[in-house]
Amino acid sequence: MSRTKKDLRGILAAVTTPFTEDGSAVDEATLLQQVERLVAAGIHGLVPTGSTGEFTSLSTDEYRRVIELYVKGADGRIPVVAGIGAMTTQAAIDLARHAETVGADAIMLVPPFYDPLDFTALQAFLSAVAGSISIPVMYYNIPGVTGVRLTAAELAELGQIEGVDYIKNTSDDAIALAELLANHTGSIKAFNGWDTLTFFGIASGAEASVWGTAGVVPELAVEFWEALAEQKDLDRARELWKHLWAISDFLESVNYVAGIKAGLELIGEPVGPARLPILPLPAEERERFAAILQNAGVLPAVAA
């Protein structure tokens, strides 16, 4: 199958799904505003309908519509990688085909997340979905959610599947990421997906980071990428990383989606609440996050 491929490199923002204040519907106007804000900040790509995008809370119609809107908003200016997650192979194929039809540049595919697949079943799943579309597949390696735990060699072996070109490695196993980047990038490109390992991942050779933090502070994230990956200015990158690490570390200490949405509200870019059963951050956590954002220069004063 001939594949249309757009290069994926840099900071790929894992983006939210904005909801109306009562959580009953997707807030389409706010979603498109969010795209404009991220494009203006210099973000290198968008990853909607992943974990940050609350994909498990979306109806099928909402899921499809959110992908359509992000592709429409990006309008070819930056790549859009549609997160695809479903409980059956056919449902994943249906969503993947829809993403391709509406113009997504790639998909980020997570395996079914209730009954963990063994490696043979995972290979069959990826082959079936990748074989149904002509855009590239990024394997979403998130073992803490899916229960599918692979070695660096097994992750690299996934790159032998036609169309599986990338991995988003959302694992805190730095040694496995280092091994993957050092020994196996000939078969597949590995991107960092664990926020607090972003410096390590990029410094170790990851050509991109799929990063929820970047959706909150895109300018800071892009400046960091340029310092570390483009200019090789280690001192400047370390200075920026102190703030980005503090933000990322906070988000990993609370419910991630609630934290992202609280951060956007604190900086004046509200995207509505997370859907129940996720609850808003408690007041004391909001205050702690506001202080971190203030220290990073994102907020002029501590917000309540």
Side-chain angles (χ1 to χ4, degrees), residues 11-13 15 31-47 69-80 214-215 217-219 222 226:
I11 302 298
L12 310 179
V15 290
L31 187 156
L32 293 173
Q33 290 169 8
Q34 183 172 227
V35 174
E36 290 305 315
R37 170 177 170 264
L38 294 170
V39 170
I43 284 293
H44 305 112
L46 303 174
V47 185
L69 287 167
Y70 270 107
V71 171
K72 176 184 177 182
D75 194 27
R77 293 173 291 177
I78 56 176
V80 175
V217 286
E219 292 89 354
V222 170
E226 291 175 350

Side-chain angles (χ1 to χ4, degrees), residues 20 85 89 101 104 131 184 274 278:
T20 54
T89 300
T101 298
H184 300 294
I278 298 173

Side-chain angles (χ1 to χ4, degrees), residues 111-122:
F113 34 88
Y114 181 78
D115 189 12
L117 303 182
D118 63 25
F119 191 60
T120 300
L122 176 64

Side-chain angles (χ1 to χ4, degrees), residues 225-279:
W225 167 265
E226 291 175 350
L228 183 58
E230 305 292 351
Q231 300 163 4
K232 315 299 182 185
D233 185 343
L234 192 57
D235 289 340
R236 179 59 178 155
R238 283 173 173 161
E239 180 183 345
L240 293 165
W241 178 243
K242 290 178 182 178
H243 299 301
L244 288 163
W245 184 89
I247 295 168
S248 296
D249 183 56
F250 171 82
L251 290 171
E252 289 177 9
S253 75
V254 297
N255 179 276
Y256 193 81
V257 172
I260 291 282
K261 290 198 163 182
L264 288 167
E265 183 179 0
L266 285 165
I267 66 171
E269 298 287 344
V271 292
R275 274 188 167 160
L276 296 173
I278 298 173
L279 298 176

Side-chain angles (χ1 to χ4, degrees), residues 290-302:
I292 292 168
L293 293 171
Q294 181 194 31
N295 191 51
V298 177
L299 288 180
V302 174

Side-chain angles (χ1 to χ4, degrees), residues 155-184:
L155 287 169
E157 191 174 340
L158 298 181
Q160 302 301 320
I161 299 171
E162 173 66 27
V164 181
D165 295 334
Y166 307 100
I167 293 171
K168 177 194 175 186
N169 193 52
T170 306
S171 165
D172 64 354
D173 188 342
I175 294 174
L177 177 60
E179 181 184 348
L180 186 62
L181 290 167
N183 296 333
H184 300 294

